[in-house]
Amino acid sequence: MEDIYPYENFDIKRRANIGDRVKFFDEERNKSYQIILVSNKKSNPNDGLISIYSYLGSSIFRLSENDNFELYIFGEKRKYKIKNISHEKTINNKR
């Protein structure tokens, strides 16, 4: 009988999306960060709620765990690695 699902080793990676908590790491500075990706309406950077339309949010949006990304901060290139992506059930915006 023919295999119904021929892609046995097919790995579907979770990609960062709205409502996800994303943990990432700066190896050069040995520092961890975490944010929650949100829409513009819920954005509040002081609380770690980062819009997917912001510089940081758009750099992380749709990346997967273990993906690398770069940001230019004050003209300096910084390299980061996505360590974990998990969905938040509720997002508390303290505004």
Side-chain angles (χ1 to χ4, degrees), residues 56-68:
L56 174 59
S58 64
S59 297
I60 292 175
F61 185 64
R62 305 297 296 154
L63 292 181
S64 297
E65 288 182 8
N66 297 314
D67 282 350
N68 297 302

Side-chain angles (χ1 to χ4, degrees), residues 68-80:
N68 297 302
F69 66 100
E70 297 176 348
L71 297 174
Y72 284 88
I73 301 172
F74 299 117
E76 182 181 335
K77 182 167 46 171
R78 309 270 287 268
K79 297 179 182 181
Y80 302 92

